[in-house]
Amino acid sequence: MSAKDAPMLDAEPQQNEGRSREASGRNAETSESERLFARAMLLARAAEVGVEAAGSCRESGWKGDWLLLLQALCSLTARQAGAGDPTPLFTAERLRDEIASILGAPEALWWSDDSDSVRKKFANAWKALENDFNRLDGHLRGRAMKNRVAGQIVLNAPARPGTTNAMGYGLSVRPIELPAAQPTVAQPSVAAEANRSGTAPLEITYQEEMEVYPIPGLKRPLKFSLPGWRALIVLTPIIGAVVAIGFLAWFLLTLWMSNEAPRVLFQWTILTGLVAGMIAWICHPFYVLINDRIVRAPTLLEATLPLGHVLVLRREGENRVLRMVRFTAKCPICEGDITIEKGRRRQRGRLVGECGRNPVEHSFSFDFITGKGRQL
C-alpha cells in the first residue's frame, strides 16, 4: 500500500492527543473545589458576624432562648465552615451542648440534660428563631457591611442528613452588595502617633444595635410607630408638664395671697418648687427629643441594660418611628468600647462617643444619620 493510498500512516503522531480533555476535567474539578471552599469561607465569616450580632442583642436586653440558639448555631457553623465544610449541619444535642458551654454553670443544666422538658425547650426555641429571625435582618446586614463581609446568614429549614433519623439544623449564606471600600484605617499605635503629629482627626464608624427591652417582664422592645395623630404621644408628657406646672403656680400664688404664717408659706413654696422641678426633669428629654430628634435614654430605662442607649425619632419608609437603640464602636486609639453619652465641658448640650477606658481624652463626635464620628 502506497503512502497515497494510506495517508494516515505518514501523519505525525499527535503527542498531546487527549490532554485537553484531561486538563479541562482537572480544571473543572479545581474550579468547583475552589468555589465550594470560597463559599465555606464566606459562610464562616458571615457566621462570625452572626455570633457578634446575637451576643450584642443579648447584652442590649433582648430576651428569648432563640438568641442563645442562634449564637450557638453561628458559633458551630463558623468553626465547621472555617474547616472547609460549605453546608454544615448539627443535631439538637450538639447545639444544646454548645448553648451549655456559652452559658456556663449553673444555667447550663437547663440545656445539657436529655429529658423531655429540655427537648421541648429546644423545639420552642427553634420555632421562636424561625419566627423572629427576620427581625435581625438590618442588624446582620449592618454588621456585615461594617466588617466588609459580602454575605449574610440565612436560616435553613431542618433536614435529615443522610439516612439518620436525627434532624440537622444549619445556616447558609446569601451574597450582599458592599458599599465602596473606605481608606484603610491605620493601626491604633500608628493612628495615635499620626494624630499627635497634627494630622487629620481619627474617624470611627458606629454600629447600631436595634430593639431593646428596657422594662423588666415586658417582652416587647421599645418601638413606637407614630403615624398621624399618634405623633401626639411624644407631646403628651410636655403638655401634661405645662398643665401641672401651671396648676402649681396658681396654687402657690393663691397661697401667697392668703393669711397663712410665713413658715407655712416657706414650706409650701419649697415643696411646690421641688415638685415642679421633678416634673420638668422628667419631661425634659421629650422636649429635647422633639427638637433634636435624638436624646440620651433616661437612666430609669437602662436599669437592667448596659449604658449608652438613646431615644431616636426618625422616618423609616412612610412612618415616623420612635426607637430605643444603642450605638457602639471600637476606639481606634486604645481598642476600648465607645458608647454614647452626654457631652461634658465644651461638648455640653450634644451627644458624643466616649471610650470606656479614657472617656475624657478619647471622645468622638456622633452623627446618628451617617453613623460616623471624628475625634474631638
Side-chain angles (χ1 to χ4, degrees):
M1 182 182 295
S2 64
K4 184 177 180 180
D5 296 330
M8 295 300 296
L9 296 178
D10 291 338
E12 294 184 2
Q14 300 295 324
Q15 300 296 329
N16 62 344
E17 189 176 22
R19 284 191 177 183
S20 59
R21 181 176 300 177
E22 290 184 11
S24 64
R26 284 200 301 270
N27 291 340
E29 183 178 353
T30 302
S31 177
E32 181 69 13
S33 300
E34 291 177 352
R35 186 182 67 82
L36 292 176
F37 182 77
R39 180 181 176 185
M41 292 302 101
L42 181 59
L43 176 59
R45 296 188 63 195
E48 290 174 356
V49 172
V51 173
E52 295 178 2
S56 68
C57 289
R58 292 178 58 211
E59 291 177 0
S60 296
W62 284 43
K63 307 296 182 181
D65 293 334
W66 66 276
L67 273 175
L68 275 170
L69 178 56
L70 177 61
Q71 187 173 354
L73 182 59
C74 289
S75 180
L76 290 174
T77 301
R79 295 200 295 267
Q80 190 76 11
D85 186 358
T87 57
L89 291 176
F90 308 97
T91 62
E93 291 75 12
R94 184 69 184 89
L95 287 168
R96 294 207 311 266
D97 290 341
E98 183 68 18
I99 293 174
S101 66
I102 292 174
L103 289 176
E107 292 85 354
L109 295 176
W110 293 98
W111 291 95
S112 57
D113 191 11
D114 197 25
S115 62
D116 292 338
S117 60
V118 174
R119 286 195 290 268
K120 184 177 180 181
K121 183 181 180 69
F122 177 87
N124 292 335
W126 180 263
K127 184 177 180 180
L129 177 59
E130 290 179 323
N131 292 333
D132 296 338
F133 183 77
N134 60 342
R135 294 168 53 195
L136 287 172
D137 186 74
H139 191 34
L140 290 170
R141 179 178 291 272
R143 282 188 172 272
M145 290 182 176
K146 180 181 178 181
N147 291 286
R148 306 301 299 174
V149 178
Q152 182 178 338
I153 56 173
V154 177
L155 195 65
N156 292 338
R160 286 187 171 86
T163 58
T164 61
N165 292 326
M167 297 299 294
Y169 303 88
L171 299 169
S172 58
V173 62
R174 81 161 170 253
I176 60 174
E177 184 177 353
L178 297 178
Q182 299 295 327
T184 304
V185 179
Q187 295 297 324
S189 58
V190 178
E193 185 65 27
N195 187 63
R196 286 194 292 270
S197 64
T199 57
L202 302 176
E203 294 186 356
I204 61 173
T205 301
Y206 292 96
Q207 173 64 46
E208 179 180 340
E209 302 172 6
M210 301 179 65
E211 293 189 2
V212 296
Y213 296 76
I215 302 175
L218 184 63
K219 296 184 178 181
R220 290 183 61 86
L222 185 56
K223 171 189 171 183
F224 296 103
S225 181
L226 305 174
W229 62 269
R230 287 191 180 183
L232 295 177
I233 294 176
V234 182
L235 291 173
T236 301
I238 300 176
I239 297 174
V242 171
V243 173
I245 293 176
F247 173 78
L248 291 175
W250 171 82
F251 170 78
L252 192 60
L253 179 63
T254 303
L255 186 64
W256 275 89
M257 295 178 62
S258 65
N259 295 325
E260 296 290 342
R263 186 177 67 176
V264 176
L265 293 176
F266 178 76
Q267 292 175 346
W268 278 105
T269 300
I270 295 298
L271 180 61
T272 303
L274 290 175
V275 174
M278 185 175 297
I279 293 175
W281 176 73
I282 293 175
C283 296
H284 181 259
F286 294 94
Y287 174 78
V288 176
L289 179 63
I290 292 175
N291 285 273
D292 299 342
R293 299 297 186 269
I294 186 170
V295 67
R296 181 69 166 75
T299 306
L300 182 63
L301 295 179
E302 291 185 312
T304 59
L305 302 175
L307 299 178
H309 289 84
V310 295
L311 296 176
V312 181
L313 184 63
R314 63 191 181 192
R315 281 197 173 275
E316 296 182 3
E318 298 296 328
N319 293 333
R320 217 170 346 182
V321 178
L322 173 64
R323 289 183 182 270
M324 181 175 175
V325 300
R326 187 171 185 247
F327 290 89
T328 59
K330 282 292 182 182
C331 180
I333 301 175
C334 67
E335 291 295 311
D337 294 328
I338 296 177
T339 56
I340 306 304
E341 303 292 343
K342 293 181 180 179
R344 295 178 283 188
R345 301 181 182 88
R346 291 180 300 175
Q347 311 301 332
R348 188 177 297 276
R350 61 186 294 191
L351 295 177
V352 299
E354 291 185 353
C355 175
R357 293 183 176 178
N358 192 342
V360 177
E361 296 297 332
H362 303 173
S363 60
F364 299 81
S365 63
F366 171 56
D367 188 336
F368 72 99
I369 300 297
T370 62
K372 304 289 184 180
R374 285 174 172 263
Q375 188 179 17
L376 300 174

